[in-house]
């Protein structure tokens, strides 16, 4: 039985994802540090950009490379702190915009929130979110954010 | 009053909560996107692996012929006509080569003897020299699904051949007059993409030169039309249209990948002659084009031994197929050293792929050519005083890709190559004194309903298609796979470990893929990750049902179907 790391992940899973990225990268056993974030995300983890940086990830290719042995401890330490959040926690983002408390915000406010606060997304990315979660404003330009969050939490899960 | 500071605290707390929540959503999105991208790349790997695994067989095909011939001779009785067919074929190519050199195409001219255009023919009647007006008529007739008559096709090909013979192995293009040149990559019979390019970028002319970097035919449904349009443009502007040979401008590849089949279908009783002409003309296509002595354009790539001086001197016409040794040689082991060196030069130029690792290795994925690293590119460009290598040969999701620190540009012009929505097509405009490269992308769509598909839906569709193709390949080797699986299933539980399952697949199918990641898409797994291997064969049924213990004839036939089709077609072209 492969070594269990936590959250249903075992060392073989990490090996698999590492090999997957290495497969496209020339199969030399090394992966650029700019891919660390994506590697972790494909394992089902949810590191923020800040956390990825702290763990040794870089922005640009060519600066640093990780071997599997160097990557594994990063996974292990992240497993201890990882959490995607609860339904209520997601809702917190929207509550302050929801002046009437009816469960709606405008599409514009949603866009503003995601592109100007926190770890900003681009307009293109917010458009893609809308399209992929099949979310569109009603005739008044409002979105029911609970539905949106439900879809986010259900997510298009990759594996498991 | 006492409330004021605590109100501030509450507000601050809320702001933090909100910020954290926003970051959560953004983080979720990034994870979602990463997973999508991983799926897309996986799907891509499947398509590419299946594609190249097929091409790799071609190199083995030559040896297969020799082996088959041996076994038939020892068999004795009826296969005699078969042997004769092979011998006729071999003799024919030797005969052709000599006659080409001797009588400069007069032998080919005889192909037109007795060919009449029947009154029921509705297409254009060509006269030479070709004019733009006639090209329009050709395009119009293609729109009406008509085929250009064999007589005019052959006449066009004869004219192309005449001009190509005057051109060197490496052509030199200059932007001094036009101030720009456009480079297109693989088209593979996608006529709509060719039209899209001309629509966006104009038809070739003195002020609008083009370099078409090979692979005009095979795979797509309209290879004939694509190559006729390209050749028509070429004869009208032989100094502004540069046609580089691709690995698919090759008789053996055409036998397998659809061009010969298409010609047989479209030209019917005249197809043998037309096929023969194409076989010849393709061998006359130049191997590379250099722009302003600074940018080299060739179909595949280079290797650590690529030498332009050597390439310039060879007799490129000897390579009817780059997969077969040149000219009259029948056995690779008896080949002359010089011939071997030359053959490698040609193979490398048309079959190689750039890789991110330094060094040069044989391209085992494709079965020919090399993998060349950034260091090889750097030294080659330096040696020849070039600044860029433009090549094609590999499909890219965006239609183009820069690699080797911007020293190599891959351009691929067939959009939706693997599946509707799989990739964009692109062409490159090289402009100005600085030879700046500007890429233009497009996706040709046939139906308006395809436009409003989301990224995710596209990935889902393409992924499903790839898995389907992969499953077909798996089913064709069911018997072998089952026996491998059973070997690992020591307690007869019906399940084996992931690693055993992956190992079995890679061993039997001989394709390198991220099997662990694909596992859940192909078979059912237990809770502990083991694979219920029988489910590997679910959900897809080959047309014929088979029973019995060994691999049935059907299964074996299916597995080698493509190989067999190729062989029969080869025999047929000389026998009918």
């Amino acid at each position: 039985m492969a070594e269990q790391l936590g959250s249903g992940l075992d060392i073989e899973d990490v090996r698999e994802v590492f090999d997957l990225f290495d497969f496209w990268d020339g199969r030399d056993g090394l992966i650029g540090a700019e891919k660390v974030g994506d590697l972790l995300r494909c394992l089902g983890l949810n590191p923020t950009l800040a956390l990825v940086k702290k763990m040794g990830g870089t922005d640009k290719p060519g600066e640093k490379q990780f071997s599997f042995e160097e990557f594994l401890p990063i996974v292990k330490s992240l497993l201890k702190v990882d959490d995607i959040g609860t339904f209520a926690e997601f809702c917190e983002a929207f509550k302050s915009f929801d002046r009437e408390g009816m469960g709606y915000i405008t599409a514009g406010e949603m866009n503003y929130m995601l592109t100007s606060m926190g770890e900003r997304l681009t307009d293109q990315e917010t458009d893609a979110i809308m399209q992929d979660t099949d979310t569109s404003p009603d005739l008044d330009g409002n979105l029911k954010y609970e539905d949106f969050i439900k879809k986010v939490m259900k997510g298009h899960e990759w594996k498991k | 009053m006492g409330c004021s500071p605590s109100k501030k605290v509450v507000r601050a707390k809320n702001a933090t909560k909100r910020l954290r929540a926003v970051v959560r959503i953004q983080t979720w999105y990034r994870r979602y996107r990463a997973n999508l991208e991983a799926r897309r790349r996986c799907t891509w790997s499947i398509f590419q692996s299946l594609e190249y695994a097929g091409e790799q067989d071609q190199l083995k095909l030559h040896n297969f012929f020799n082996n088959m011939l041996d076994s038939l001779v020892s068999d004795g009785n009826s296969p005699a006509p078969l042997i004769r067919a092979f011998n006729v074929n071999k003799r024919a190519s030797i005969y052709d080569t000599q006659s080409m050199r001797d009588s400069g195409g007069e032998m080919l001219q005889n192909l037109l003897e007795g060919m009449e255009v029947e009154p029921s023919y509705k297409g254009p009647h060509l006269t030479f020299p070709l004019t733009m007006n006639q090209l329009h008529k050709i395009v119009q007739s293609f729109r009406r699904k008509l085929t250009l008559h064999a007589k005019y096709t052959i006449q066009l090909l004869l004219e192309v051949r005449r001009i190509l013979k005057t051109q060197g192995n490496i052509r030199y293009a200059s932007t001094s007059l036009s101030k720009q040149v456009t480079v297109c990559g693989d088209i593979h019979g996608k006529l709509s993409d060719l039209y899209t390019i001309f629509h966006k970028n104009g038809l070739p002319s003195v002020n609008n030169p083009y370099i078409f970097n090979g692979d005009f035919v095979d795979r797509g449904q309209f290879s004939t039309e694509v190559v006729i349009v390209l050749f028509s443009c070429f004869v009208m502007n032989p100094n502004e249209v540069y046609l580089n040979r691709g690995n698919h401008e090759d008789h053996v590849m055409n036998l397998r990948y659809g061009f010969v089949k298409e010609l047989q279908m479209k030209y019917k009783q005249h197809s043998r002659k037309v096929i023969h002409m194409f076989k010849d003309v393709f061998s006359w296509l130049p191997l590379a084009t250099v722009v302003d002595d600074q940018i080299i354009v060739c179909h595949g790539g280079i290797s650590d031994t690529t030498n332009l001086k050597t390439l310039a001197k060879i007799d490129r016409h000897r390579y009817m197929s780059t997969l077969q040794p040149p000219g009259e040689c029948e056995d690779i082991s008896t080949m002359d050293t010089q011939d071997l060196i030359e053959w490698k030069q040609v193979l490398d130029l048309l079959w190689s792929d750039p890789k991110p690792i330094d060094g040069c290795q044989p391209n085992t994925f494709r079965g020919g050519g090399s993998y060349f690293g950034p260091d090889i590119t750097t030294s080659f460009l330096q040696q020849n005083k070039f600044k860029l290598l433009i090549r094609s040969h590999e499909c890219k999701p965006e239609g183009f890709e820069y690699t080797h620190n911007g020293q190599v540009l891959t351009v691929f012009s067939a959009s939706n190559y693997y599946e509707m929505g799989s990739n964009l097509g692109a062409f490159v405009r090289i402009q100005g004194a600085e030879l700046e490269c500007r890429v233009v992308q497009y996706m040709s769509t046939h139906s308006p309903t395809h436009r409003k598909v989301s990224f995710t839906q596209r990935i889902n569709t393409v992924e499903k298609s790839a898995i389907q193709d992969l499953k077909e390949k798996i089913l064709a080797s069911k018997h072998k796979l089952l026996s491998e699986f059973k070997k690992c299933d020591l307690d007869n539980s019906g399940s084996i470990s992931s690693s055993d399952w992956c190992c079995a697949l890679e061993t039997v199918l001989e394709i390198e893929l991220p099997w662990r990641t694909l596992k859940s898409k192909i078979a059912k797994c237990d809770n502990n990750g083991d694979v219920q291997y029988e489910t590997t064969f679910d959900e897809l049924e080959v047309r014929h049902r088979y029973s019995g213990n060994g691999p049935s004839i059907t299964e074996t036939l299916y597995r080698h179907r493509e190989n067999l089709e190729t062989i029969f077609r080869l025999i047929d072209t000389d026998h009918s």
Side-chain angles (χ1 to χ4, degrees), chain B residues 48 50-61 186 188 213-215 218-219 245-254 256-257 287 298-303 306 311 319-325 342-355 360-372 389 391-394 417:
Chain B
Q48 259 196 344
L50 290 177
E51 178 182 3
Y52 298 166
E55 290 185 0
Q56 201 183 73
D57 289 348
Q58 292 314 300
L59 208 55
K60 301 176 194 160
L61 204 66
D186 295 30
H188 281 301
N213 203 11
D215 279 12
D218 280 337
R219 301 191 194 277
R245 188 175 186 182
N247 64 311
H248 277 265
E249 274 68 59
D250 180 311
H251 186 62
V252 176
M253 295 296 279
N254 297 150
R256 179 162 177 164
Y257 289 99
L287 304 171
C298 64
H299 181 74
I302 55 174
S303 75
T306 299
L311 277 163
Y319 298 90
M320 283 294 177
S321 161
T322 53
L323 291 168
Q324 291 172 335
E342 277 184 11
W343 189 22
K344 184 176 189 297
Q345 292 278 334
V346 176
L347 266 177
D348 285 338
L349 216 59
L350 264 45
W351 283 80
S352 298
D353 291 315
K355 281 286 173 260
C360 195
Q361 285 91 38
N363 193 331
T364 45
F365 208 18
R366 303 254 200 187
S370 310
Y371 283 135
F372 61 101
L389 161 65
R391 44 88 65 176
S392 306
H393 196 42
E394 282 182 297
Y417 182 58

Side-chain angles (χ1 to χ4, degrees), chain A residues 87-108:
Chain A
F87 183 74
E89 282 167 332
F90 271 101
C91 284
E92 281 307 317
F94 299 93
K95 286 237 174 80
S96 58
F97 288 100
D98 183 11
R99 274 158 267 120
E100 290 162 34
M102 300 290 285
Y104 289 93
I105 61 166
T106 69

Side-chain angles (χ1 to χ4, degrees), chain B residues 26 50 75 83 103 124 162 191 211 288 341 368 425 460 500 514:
Chain B
Q26 292 160 333
L50 290 177
D75 220 295
I83 301 173
S103 46
R162 187 188 66 77
L191 190 58
I211 302 173
I341 294 174
N460 285 336
D500 285 339

Side-chain angles (χ1 to χ4, degrees), chain B residues 62 96 127 132 163 177 220 223 354 381 384 416 451 480 486:
Chain B
H62 178 78
D96 292 347
T127 58
M132 195 51 89
I163 304 173
L177 207 67
S223 300
L381 293 179
N384 293 281
N416 303 324
R451 246 170 254 140
K480 257 196 188 162
K486 291 220 160 86

Side-chain angles (χ1 to χ4, degrees), chain A residues 1 12-13 16 20-21 23-28 35 38 41-42 44-49 83-85 89-90 92-94 96-97 113-115 117-121 125 128-129 131-133 148 151-153 155-158, chain B residues 14-15 17-42 45 49 355-357 365 371 452-457 460 463 499 512-514 516-521 528:
Chain A
M1 193 64 171
E12 286 306 317
D13 290 314
E16 178 179 313
L20 184 66
F21 275 75
F23 184 84
W24 300 318
D25 199 31
R27 263 173 261 163
D28 58 354
K35 294 260 160 49
D38 284 339
R41 291 175 190 116
C42 287
L45 294 167
N46 299 278
T48 59
L49 293 175
D83 76 307
I84 189 171
E89 282 167 332
F90 271 101
E92 281 307 317
F94 299 93
S96 58
F97 288 100
M113 196 173 76
L114 295 171
T115 57
M117 294 170 65
E119 297 187 333
R120 305 176 191 183
L121 296 176
E125 289 171 317
I129 293 182
Q131 223 193 2
D132 288 344
T133 56
F148 170 69
K151 284 183 190 153
V152 164
M153 298 213 71
H156 303 257
E157 290 302 339
W158 189 41
Chain B
N14 282 337
K17 249 201 234 166
R18 195 187 343 148
L19 190 63
R20 246 198 293 195
V22 172
V23 172
R24 279 190 203 284
I25 298 179
Q26 292 160 333
T27 308
W28 160 81
Y29 177 71
R30 291 195 167 96
R31 183 180 82 159
Y32 165 71
R33 240 350 219 249
N35 280 287
L36 263 185
E37 183 58 28
R39 275 172 64 201
R40 184 168 86 147
R41 295 224 199 181
C42 249
S45 309
S49 298
K355 281 286 173 260
I357 312 179
F365 208 18
Y371 283 135
K452 278 292 171 178
V453 172
S454 77
F455 188 64
T456 314
Q457 286 171 310
N460 285 336
E463 186 183 57
S499 354
E512 265 183 60
L513 278 176
R516 293 189 134 260
T517 314
L518 294 169
K519 178 182 68 175
S520 54
K521 299 226 172 349
N528 56 357

